[in-house]
Amino acid sequence: MSVVTRRANVVGLGLIGGSLAVALRERDWHVSGSDDRDDVVVAARERDIIDAVGIDADAEITFVAVPVMRGSAVVTDVLAATTGIVTDVGSVKSPICAAISDPRFVGGHPMAGSERDGLDGADPNLFTGAIWVLTPDSDADDRVFAQLTSIIGELGADVVAIGPDRHDEVVAVVSHLPHLTAASLMGLA
């Protein structure tokens, strides 16, 4: 009996994308990767972070890990070039979820990071125990959402589902809280 190798794409090989690629490869996925910077792609291939360069049209899933301002355009391109699920990892969800109406897309935001960046920070355990927010909207397909939740669970993360607008409200408050706390403490000092 032959074993079918699961296939994924990772577009953007920075800290999050590199960590996704390494985590998937450790779980025996075949990972195709791409990045705007040729030197990053070469390094990812040389270090066995990805198996192949480019986009695998028939991959089960594509993770888009590019800067938020480019997310919608890249997701649109990837949806046109592939047949599987597409998700992103950006920290702002409302604009991309409003722009993309394809039922194969579900917005996502892993609440994970590191003081390191790029491929040097790629860590297969980055998502273990992390919260991964998914932001399905009215366009999302329930089967796509269930499959995406399962894949994220394989990476060790716990999925929380909330709407895109609510996500952005919560993240805005959480990201400003340390600054407000520091300013208050300085005021007391």
Side-chain angles (χ1 to χ4, degrees):
M1 182 171 168
S2 66
V3 176
V4 175
T5 301
R6 298 176 81 185
R7 298 179 355 232
N9 293 312
V10 178
V11 179
L13 296 169
L15 172 67
I16 300 296
S19 295
L20 280 165
V22 172
L24 289 164
R25 290 211 60 230
E26 282 197 355
R27 289 159 179 83
D28 296 324
W29 286 68
H30 181 274
V31 178
S32 297
S34 61
D35 194 277
D36 284 345
R37 294 181 45 197
D38 291 338
D39 60 317
V40 171
V41 175
V42 168
R45 188 65 197 102
E46 287 174 351
R47 293 167 53 186
D48 290 325
I49 290 173
I50 58 173
D51 295 293
V53 175
I55 298 290
D56 177 351
D58 296 318
E60 181 177 338
I61 187 167
T62 300
F63 291 93
V64 175
V66 300
V68 172
M69 297 302 289
R70 294 189 41 240
S72 295
V74 174
V75 166
T76 299
D77 291 346
V78 168
L79 283 164
T82 64
T83 58
I85 295 170
V86 178
T87 189
D88 75 312
V89 298
S91 61
V92 179
K93 303 284 35 123
S94 294
I96 194 167
C97 290
I100 308 295
S101 61
D102 191 303
R104 292 187 296 127
F105 173 75
V106 176
H109 181 200
M111 306 301 283
S114 168
E115 70 283 356
R116 301 177 73 193
D117 63 359
L119 289 178
D120 291 335
D123 177 359
N125 299 310
L126 186 67
F127 311 108
T128 303
I131 298 295
W132 195 307
V133 180
L134 291 180
T135 57
D137 56 16
S138 60
D139 299 318
D141 180 297
D142 290 342
R143 289 171 298 185
V144 167
F145 180 80
Q147 187 177 0
L148 178 56
T149 299
S150 176
I151 292 167
I152 291 168
E154 287 178 45
L155 300 174
D158 296 315
V159 173
V160 173
I162 59 176
D165 293 335
R166 182 70 180 139
H167 166 274
D168 292 352
E169 291 169 3
V170 170
V171 169
V173 169
V174 170
S175 68
H176 288 89
L177 190 59
H179 301 291
L180 293 171
T181 302
S184 296
L185 288 172
M186 287 307 294
L188 289 173

